[in-house]
Amino acid sequence: MRLSRTARIALGGVTAAGLAVVYAPLLLVLLNSVNSDRSFGWPPSGLTTRWWRAALHSEGVRQALLTSVRAGLAATAIALVLGTMAAFAVHRHRFFGRRTVSFLLVLPIALPGIVSGIALNAAFRTVLDPLGVGFGLFTVVVGHATFCVVVVFNNAGARLRRLSPSMTEASADLGARPWQTFRYVTFPAVRSALFAGGLLAFALSFDEIVVTTFTAGPGTTTLPVWIYENLARPHQAPVVNVVAAVLVALSVLPVYVAQRLSSDPAGGRL
């Protein structure tokens, strides 16, 4: 169906306006990170890398970045293991309650973050406190893993649905053992989907603040939490913009790579 010229212009204008609403504030953050004016006067009176040097030498920023990376890597590793196993169980086997299990696995990412945070906080206080395990990096990792598993599960499941069962059946007919079939047939076919799911899971964990607020202990501060705590401090405002700019860059890269891998009809090559 061909659209009229007026309709194409209208759709293009609406699309451009929507993109501007989303990306103009991000561009403003990037510009303010090099704005020489501490109060972010507009237009900028000059450009400087002073705030970037200040952020580089900030002990609080470095510690928060390290905590976010540790939490993201640990949550991603857990999600890859559990999400992959769940995807194979749901999409390769038939059992009672399979649809219910699939629904329960996807549910955490649909729940409001504050609901998940409150639920996890109550669960940790009930289960871990009697065992002497307090809030800290461990509870943050577990909290992040609850929704990171969903991303890996969805990516792996989507690839398994596209993978013909005849490939594994042919491998078995040729005498391959189950582990050999997985290693030489199944895993190469789903490898790029798992990699993309891992990248998205890390990006989600790295940016998470709501669940982190309810599951982190007093000495555990991730980068998003550091930004929130320092946002209202006048002397820290320029450094906050630098950290936000870095956070944008670190979030865009894994999402872009994951999108390219997921959209590759051939499954991608690693």
Side-chain angles (χ1 to χ4, degrees):
M1 178 174 124
R2 293 179 60 86
L3 296 176
S4 66
R5 185 170 180 272
T6 303
R8 290 198 301 270
I9 293 175
L11 288 174
V14 171
T15 302
L19 292 175
V21 169
V22 174
Y23 291 103
L26 298 180
L27 294 176
L28 187 60
V29 168
L30 295 175
L31 182 59
N32 280 335
S33 69
V34 294
N35 190 345
S36 59
D37 189 347
R38 183 182 290 273
S39 62
F40 309 129
W42 189 265
S45 57
L47 302 179
T48 181
T49 57
R50 172 187 173 189
W51 315 126
W52 286 81
R53 292 194 299 270
L56 184 64
H57 292 90
S58 173
E59 181 65 23
V61 172
R62 290 201 298 267
Q63 289 298 324
L65 176 61
L66 183 60
T67 301
S68 288
V69 171
R70 285 175 175 173
L73 291 177
T76 300
I78 294 173
L80 282 172
V81 174
L82 298 182
T84 303
M85 294 174 64
F88 272 90
V90 170
H91 296 284
R92 278 289 185 259
H93 301 279
R94 297 291 181 268
F95 54 89
F96 176 76
R98 183 171 64 92
R99 293 184 180 275
T100 302
V101 170
S102 179
F103 171 75
L104 292 176
L105 284 168
V106 177
L107 184 60
I109 204 169
L111 291 174
I114 192 169
V115 174
S116 298
I118 292 173
L120 288 168
N121 183 280
F124 291 152
R125 290 186 184 279
T126 303
V127 177
L128 297 183
D129 273 358
L131 300 177
V133 180
F135 287 85
L137 183 61
F138 172 75
T139 52
V140 171
V141 170
V142 174
H144 288 192
T146 57
F147 55 82
C148 289
V149 168
V150 181
V151 179
V152 177
F153 173 77
N154 284 337
N155 271 48
R159 184 58 56 83
L160 287 172
R161 285 193 295 270
R162 293 163 53 187
L163 180 63
S164 174
S166 61
M167 296 178 62
T168 56
E169 293 171 359
S171 176
D173 290 341
L174 293 173
R177 297 177 180 177
W179 173 247
Q180 290 176 315
T181 299
F182 175 79
R183 180 181 178 184
Y184 295 110
V185 178
T186 308
F187 179 70
V190 301
R191 180 172 50 193
S192 61
L194 296 180
F195 186 68
L199 288 174
L200 289 175
F202 180 82
L204 283 175
S205 173
F206 199 84
D207 289 344
E208 173 57 41
I209 184 173
V210 179
V211 172
T212 307
T213 303
F214 286 92
T215 57
T220 307
T221 303
T222 61
L223 207 56
V225 172
W226 185 92
I227 292 175
Y228 179 76
E229 291 178 348
N230 289 271
L231 193 59
R233 299 178 181 178
H235 295 291
Q236 288 283 27
V239 178
V240 167
N241 275 277
V242 173
V243 177
V246 173
L247 202 59
V248 170
L250 291 177
S251 301
V252 167
L253 182 60
V255 173
Y256 172 76
V257 175
Q259 191 273 337
R260 291 296 301 270
L261 289 174
S262 299
S263 62
D264 185 357
R269 290 180 180 270
L270 297 178

